[in-house]
Amino acid sequence: MAKVKPFRAIRPAPDKVAHVTSRSYEVYSKEELKAILKFNPFSFLHIINPGFKFHKKVSGAERFQLVHNRYMEFLEERVFIKEKEPSFYLYQIKKNDFSCCGIFCATSVADYRNNVIKKHENTIESRERLFAQYLDTVKFNAEPVLMTYPDHPTLAGIISKTKKEDPVYHFTTPDRTTHFLWKISSSEAVRSIEKTFSEMDSLYIADGHHRSSSSELLAQWHEAKNPKHNGKEAYNYFMSYLIPESEIRIFEFNRLVKDLNGHSKESFLVKLDELYRIKKTDTELYKPTKKHHFSMYLDGDFYSLYLRKNVLPLEDPLSKLDTHILYKTILEPILGIKDLRNDKRIQYGYGKHNVLRMKTEIDKGNFKVGFNLVPITIAEIKAIADAQLVMPPKSTYIEPKLKSGLTIYEL
């Protein structure tokens, strides 16, 4: 049974929210980051880039402490305010043809330990430990873990009713995304949300595996040094954003490889022919349409690759996954790429125009061959997680991508 609970959020003052929230730190260019830090004193980026105030680069424990200091300043200056009562927060995002609406809440570390909260990616121990140390110093969650749940009529009803009320926030960001936030604090609605999730067997992590695992590690540390530990402490939970499965959007990552591992074009195609039916296409930008079907761009031409029957045992959810099939049939045995995460010969692309970008990069000579796949489905993600298996790196690019600093959970 999944345990979720309301929390007293730290959140931006309503007149400043559009200036405070930020995208993930890593997506900003150096120029964009510098401009925001220079001209927007309310940006959450000042908190996670605290050295800007002192015109110096900071790292490690020094940076962590300065992040905490900047956060306390935002509280003291009333850029952030603290809720008086625990609440759930309904958050809706609208952009072009995409919309989703979900619930900010506190989710249980115990559920993560016990595989009620299910994962489909491996985490790196050094990153877990570093982020746990960060959380231990700064004492807040500002980036929620994205999780999905099966569409449920009770939750849909609460969401529909809440959206008829005036939102706490309604603002649009420069990327033309519109954001809405509502508080859910009535005892009846809170109990109904808690009860509905408690009847669910599982929640599934879509994005935020390292944030989840680091929160679990942090809880281990605090439990070990707290003789009065009772399971109700703030460190036993971490902030998540829960959305219905039907509202998540999944894109594929393509694969671009710098060389053919010593093969000529002709010998490479002969190798592929052992496992795939190969057909050169006349389409300018060719994308696959079915599972176990890949698009390949090589030497100015697109090819369709159809996996031949019975060439691979498709016995479990991982073996049936297209990213795994591509790795086991082409990337590892033919192109010699064993480490998908660290091999410098392979790069990844995602998004609406990724086939065009793939073609452009290969035409420029930056890469030799590229592969495009159909997106993985939420059903495949759940099957992998249920079987306690792990997807290959860069199997999914998932939306929504959430803002930092919209709601904060204090540890």
Side-chain angles (χ1 to χ4, degrees):
M1 297 188 298
K3 183 174 183 179
V4 306
K5 72 171 192 173
F7 65 102
R8 293 177 62 194
I10 307 296
R11 57 183 182 83
D15 64 326
K16 298 180 178 67
V17 61
H19 303 294
V20 172
T21 59
S22 72
R23 292 174 287 156
S24 179
Y25 178 78
E26 293 83 4
V27 306
Y28 290 96
S29 67
K30 289 183 179 179
E31 295 76 14
E32 191 177 11
L33 180 62
K34 184 178 179 180
I36 293 171
L37 291 171
K38 183 176 180 180
F39 295 109
N40 180 4
F42 302 121
S43 174
F44 188 76
L45 292 171
H46 281 284
I47 293 178
I48 55 178
N49 194 64
F52 181 82
K53 180 177 181 178
F54 303 103
H55 309 288
K56 63 175 287 190
K57 291 184 178 180
V58 292
S59 60
E62 181 185 23
R63 174 177 173 263
F64 298 170
Q65 185 58 53
L66 288 175
V67 167
H68 175 74
N69 295 351
R70 294 291 81 70
Y71 169 67
M72 296 304 296
E73 287 176 5
F74 270 49
L75 281 170
E76 292 161 4
E77 295 169 1
R78 301 288 293 172
V79 177
F80 282 140
I81 58 176
K82 186 168 186 175
E83 294 282 13
K84 295 181 179 179
E85 59 186 351
S87 301
F88 291 112
Y89 301 88
L90 182 66
Y91 175 48
Q92 183 174 26
I93 304 168
K94 288 185 176 181
K95 182 180 181 180
N96 299 329
D97 62 341
F98 177 62
S99 175
C100 71
C101 191
I103 299 171
F104 284 119
C105 64
T107 46
S108 167
V109 164
D111 282 353
Y112 179 83
R113 286 176 184 162
N114 298 328
N115 205 37
V116 173
I117 293 174
K118 296 192 173 184
K119 41 204 170 286
H120 63 265
E121 289 183 7
N122 272 335
T123 52
I124 301 170
E125 186 176 349
S126 60
R127 286 185 62 190
E128 287 180 9
R129 184 167 294 276
L130 181 65
F131 193 58
Q133 291 167 346
Y134 170 83
L135 293 174
D136 199 26
T137 302
V138 305
K139 296 180 170 53
F140 64 79
N141 282 165
E143 293 187 6
V145 175
L146 176 63
M147 298 191 204
T148 66
Y149 63 87
D151 291 50
H152 195 287
T154 299
L155 295 174
I158 293 172
I159 289 171
S160 177
K161 181 179 179 181
T162 303
K163 286 167 66 175
K164 294 176 182 176
E165 302 170 2
D166 291 334
V168 175
Y169 298 142
H170 175 193
F171 63 98
T172 301
T173 42
D175 60 357
R176 299 181 183 274
T177 302
T178 303
H179 308 261
F180 303 84
L181 187 82
W182 294 265
K183 279 178 60 176
I184 303 176
S185 52
S186 76
S187 57
E188 181 183 359
V190 166
R191 283 196 301 269
S192 183
I193 291 171
E194 290 177 325
K195 181 176 183 296
T196 302
F197 279 109
S198 73
E199 294 169 350
M200 294 183 186
D201 293 332
S202 303
L203 299 173
Y204 293 84
I205 298 174
D207 193 13
H209 286 80
H210 279 93
R211 293 192 290 278
S212 304
S213 61
S214 298
S215 295
E216 196 274 332
L217 180 59
L218 178 71
Q220 286 183 38
W221 294 348
H222 280 278
E223 183 176 348
K225 64 184 180 184
N226 181 5
K228 297 182 179 180
H229 171 84
N230 60 21
K232 297 180 180 180
E233 297 86 353
Y235 60 73
N236 292 291
Y237 297 86
F238 55 95
M239 185 171 64
S240 294
Y241 178 63
L242 310 184
I243 64 171
E245 292 173 4
S246 62
E247 296 189 18
I248 199 167
R249 186 156 71 170
I250 305 172
F251 294 96
E252 74 280 9
F253 274 96
N254 60 31
R255 275 84 167 113
L256 296 93
V257 183
K258 290 185 177 293
D259 58 68
L260 297 182
N261 195 32
H263 292 285
S264 65
K265 173 185 173 181
E266 293 72 21
S267 66
F268 178 61
L269 289 172
V270 168
K271 282 285 187 183
L272 290 184
D273 190 66
E274 297 175 16
L275 299 170
Y276 290 90
R277 290 185 290 116
I278 306 172
K279 181 180 179 182
K280 187 186 294 187
T281 72
D282 298 324
T283 309
E284 185 177 355
L285 293 173
Y286 181 68
K287 296 189 69 171
T289 57
K290 300 176 182 178
K291 293 294 179 184
H292 313 335
H293 169 208
F294 306 109
S295 163
M296 179 178 73
Y297 187 66
L298 173 67
D299 195 26
D301 292 308
F302 275 99
Y303 296 82
S304 65
L305 307 180
Y306 289 90
L307 185 68
R308 295 186 185 278
K309 293 182 179 180
N310 303 319
V311 298
L312 279 179
L314 304 180
E315 298 171 341
D316 57 40
L318 179 60
S319 66
K320 297 174 185 176
L321 204 67
D322 281 350
T323 50
H324 182 77
I325 290 170
L326 186 67
Y327 173 66
K328 284 297 184 181
T329 58
I330 301 176
L331 298 179
E332 182 185 35
I334 301 176
L335 295 177
I337 295 172
K338 300 185 183 301
D339 186 347
L340 291 172
R341 195 182 298 276
N342 298 308
D343 196 312
K344 302 300 184 185
R345 294 169 56 228
I346 187 169
Q347 289 188 20
Y348 305 89
Y350 63 87
K352 186 181 295 185
H353 306 294
N354 66 21
V355 176
L356 176 59
R357 295 191 190 105
M358 180 178 77
K359 179 181 184 301
T360 300
E361 287 295 308
I362 293 171
D363 287 344
K364 287 180 179 178
N366 296 329
F367 297 89
K368 187 67 176 179
V369 64
F371 303 92
N372 188 250
L373 306 78
V374 297
I376 286 169
T377 66
I378 187 65
E380 289 178 301
I381 290 176
K382 291 175 65 175
I384 291 284
D386 287 341
Q388 299 187 42
L389 298 170
V390 176
M391 288 186 180
K394 303 296 184 183
S395 287
T396 57
Y397 179 84
I398 293 177
E399 289 185 344
K401 295 298 181 187
L402 299 171
K403 291 284 186 181
S404 297
L406 184 62
T407 60
I408 292 173
Y409 175 77
E410 284 196 322
L411 297 164

